[in-house]
């Protein structure tokens, strides 16, 4: 299972090869999104002493606690299912939808209901109390839905899973955040009904998928630029390593950053779209309109930023600036954006523009959901300028891994949805010219590699 920031995918081992299986009507990838028309998700509470009482001798107490919480969560869900009827899927709730249906419900009425998109981007953050419980519940619901849909498509139960993970999860807490994220994912997988869960670094999974195509050994630098994180690994791959169950000796270096496609979307939105919402507008005193309102509006992967933008005191502050600015129409749009809770919508417009710029030098972003007839021209040059710092970080990551490995790669293998952007390819050619570059399946390499590893770990798909 590639439980991605932007989308999720599942593959099984079938006829001696990985096979991605359908999760939604439109294909094998499901948008990482959930919507509840109730306006909230019920979050079960567990007494820690009760959790610890179910744990015996365990070398890894934190992992054991996560699994125990997952078992208790699943037991509660099973109890509810028995009340609803034996044929009801685990965690079934007619008011909750997933994927494209969740996005459609949110866009239709953004002011009502509960909407969560890209929850993986929060897992490494400082989550406390109700936020920790809420995100665990969101991940559990998504995993249970994915498992149920995958089993229907595969025509068989899927009880064991290898879940991809970045080298570093999005957040600012370092290894503590990474441990928290893995514990949430393991608890959720257990609660969703998986009997056994293993984890594998996403760039290594991509390397395993590439390895299946090789007829000779290679040293490969994998750049996996995903929606929420970007990871690099230097790994020996090829026929000599293909059947190993432990790849520690073939892994030469690994590094990752909490930067991904969602950061590209936010930066592009700020650079290209927000001038229509007050960016660079001057106040009567000659000072610019404060950019922190714009950043808070756009940073949909930061709980604190969104809390500030949607705080009760923000409308009064915005109106005060609107009254003394030179272009009241633009700041008025920002006020309307807040009133109608359209932060996700603006970032989604930027994401769609970024995708379109993979094929064109310029596109028009239509923002009619915010204001009738409002449209903004967006260019690839604006994208390149907006993400210059992120691209430099990608180069630093790749050079760091080369230094760790002490050798130059034979091949650079590029995967992940963000890597599809031409500005990433330009960056690689500029700094690593002369090295062979192979482009994998932008959205399927990691999933296929995880299925390959699952086959080695569990002996079946």
């Amino acid at each position: 299972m590639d439980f991605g920031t932007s989308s999720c995918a599942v593959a099984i081992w079938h006829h001696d090869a990985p096979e991605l299986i359908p999760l939604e009507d439109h294909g094998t990838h499901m948008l990482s999104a959930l919507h509840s028309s109730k306006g909230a998700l019920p979050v079960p509470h567990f007494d820690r002493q009760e959790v610890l009482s179910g744990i015996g001798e365990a070398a890894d107490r934190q992992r054991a606690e996560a699994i125990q919480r997952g078992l208790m969560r699943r037991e509660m869900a099973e109890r509810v299912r028995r009340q609803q009827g034996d044929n009801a899927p685990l965690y079934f709730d007619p008011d909750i939808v997933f994927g494209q249906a969740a996005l459609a419900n949110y866009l239709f009425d953004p002011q009502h209901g509960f909407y969560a998109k890209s929850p993986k981007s929060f897992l490494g953050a400082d989550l406390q109390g109700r936020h920790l419980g809420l995100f665990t519940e969101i991940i559990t619901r998504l995993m249970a839905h994915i498992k149920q849909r995958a089993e229907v498509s595969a025509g068989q139960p899927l009880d064991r899973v290898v879940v991809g993970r970045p080298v570093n999860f999005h957040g600012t807490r370092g290894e503590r955040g990474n441990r928290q994220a893995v514990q949430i994912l393991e608890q959720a997988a257990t609660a969703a009904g998986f009997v056994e869960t293993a984890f594998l670094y996403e760039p290594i999974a991509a390397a395993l998928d590439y390895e299946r195509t090789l007829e000779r050994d290679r040293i490969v630098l994998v750049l996996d630029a995903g929606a929420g994180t970007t990871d690099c690994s230097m790994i020996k791959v090829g026929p000599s390593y293909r059947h190993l169950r432990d790849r520690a000796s073939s892994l030469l270096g690994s590094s990752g950053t909490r930067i991904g496609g969602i950061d590209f979307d936010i930066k592009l939105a700020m650079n290209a779209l927000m001038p229509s919402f007050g960016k660079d507008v001057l106040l009567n005193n000659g000072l610019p309109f404060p950019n922190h309102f714009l950043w808070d509006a756009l940073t949909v992967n930061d709980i604190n930023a969104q809390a500030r933008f949607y705080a009760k005191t923000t409308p009064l502050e915005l109106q005060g600036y609107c009254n003394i600015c030179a272009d009241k129409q633009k700041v008025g749009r920002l006020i309307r954006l807040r009133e109608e809770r359209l932060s996700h919508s603006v970032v989604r417009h930027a994401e769609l523009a970024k995708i379109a710029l993979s094929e064109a030098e310029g596109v028009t972003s239509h923002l009619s959901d915010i204001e009738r007839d409002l449209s903004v021209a967006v260019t690839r040059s604006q994208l390149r300028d907006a993400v210059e710092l992120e691209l430099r970080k990608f180069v630093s990551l790749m050079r760091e891994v080369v230094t760790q490995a002490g050798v130059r790669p034979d091949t650079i293998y590029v995967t992940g949805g963000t890597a599809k952007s031409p500005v990433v390819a330009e960056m690689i050619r500029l700094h690593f010219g002369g090295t062979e570059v192979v482009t994998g399946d932008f959205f399927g390499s990691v999933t296929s590699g995880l299925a390959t590893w699952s086959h080695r770990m569990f002996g079946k798909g």
Side-chain angles (χ1 to χ4, degrees), residues 12 39 47 126 131 139 258 272 332 345 358 379 391 398 446 461:
I12 61 172
D47 181 86
D126 186 12
H131 283 143
I139 303 295
R258 304 167 185 92
S345 183
S358 296
T379 66
L391 292 175
M398 296 171 75
V446 169

Side-chain angles (χ1 to χ4, degrees), residues 276-291:
S276 296
F277 294 86
K279 181 177 182 287
D280 301 326
V281 165
L282 295 179
L283 306 178
N284 293 342
N285 59 9
L287 295 175
F289 177 77
N291 272 355

Side-chain angles (χ1 to χ4, degrees), residues 101-139:
L103 175 62
N105 281 12
Y106 166 74
L107 293 177
F108 178 75
D109 186 4
Q111 298 184 63
H112 298 93
F114 174 87
Y115 179 64
K117 181 179 181 291
S118 304
K120 183 181 177 183
S121 62
F122 294 91
L123 299 188
D126 186 12
L127 299 176
Q128 301 291 335
R130 66 184 184 88
H131 283 143
L132 182 60
L134 175 61
F135 278 97
T136 303
E137 187 66 18
I138 292 169
I139 303 295

